[in-house]
Amino acid sequence: DCPICCLPLSVDDHNSTMMTCCSKTICDGCDYANDMRVWRESLKWTCPFCRHPASRSKDESNQNLMKRIEANDPVAMCQEGI
């Protein structure tokens, strides 16, 4: 289930997004709603779940994921194949 709207997530991975900052998988609807909020209010993009600032590069995303793995986050470990 999406941790924001509590609707079931699609089996298709293309309809959801995993946030590397908190290892939460959110539905595309909540991701879109967050994008619209950021655009309307001229804000910097943040994670819709934990409000962590957006990663600026793939390396920064990987560092965030590694921090989650070091914290023994099972979702991050599964994502990385550990």
Side-chain angles (χ1 to χ4, degrees):
D1 293 355
C2 175
I4 297 172
C5 67
C6 298
L7 291 174
L9 290 171
S10 173
V11 176
D12 184 7
D13 288 343
H14 297 289
N15 295 329
S16 58
T17 304
M18 184 196 162
M19 311 309 292
T20 59
C21 50
C22 58
S23 297
K24 299 293 183 189
T25 301
I26 61 167
C27 68
D28 281 349
C30 290
D31 190 32
Y32 178 76
N34 185 58
D35 288 345
M36 290 296 97
R37 179 188 65 84
V38 167
W39 179 75
R40 253 191 326 262
E41 299 175 19
S42 300
L43 303 171
K44 290 187 178 181
W45 192 90
T46 59
C47 171
F49 186 78
C50 70
R51 300 292 183 213
H52 187 272
S55 300
R56 296 172 195 215
S57 66
K58 186 72 171 168
D59 287 337
E60 194 174 339
S61 286
N62 289 338
Q63 286 176 344
N64 286 339
L65 190 58
M66 286 302 168
K67 285 180 188 176
R68 298 302 311 157
I69 290 171
E70 289 169 6
N72 292 323
D73 183 340
V75 175
M77 289 178 181
C78 182
Q79 182 73 18
E80 197 62 24
I82 297 175

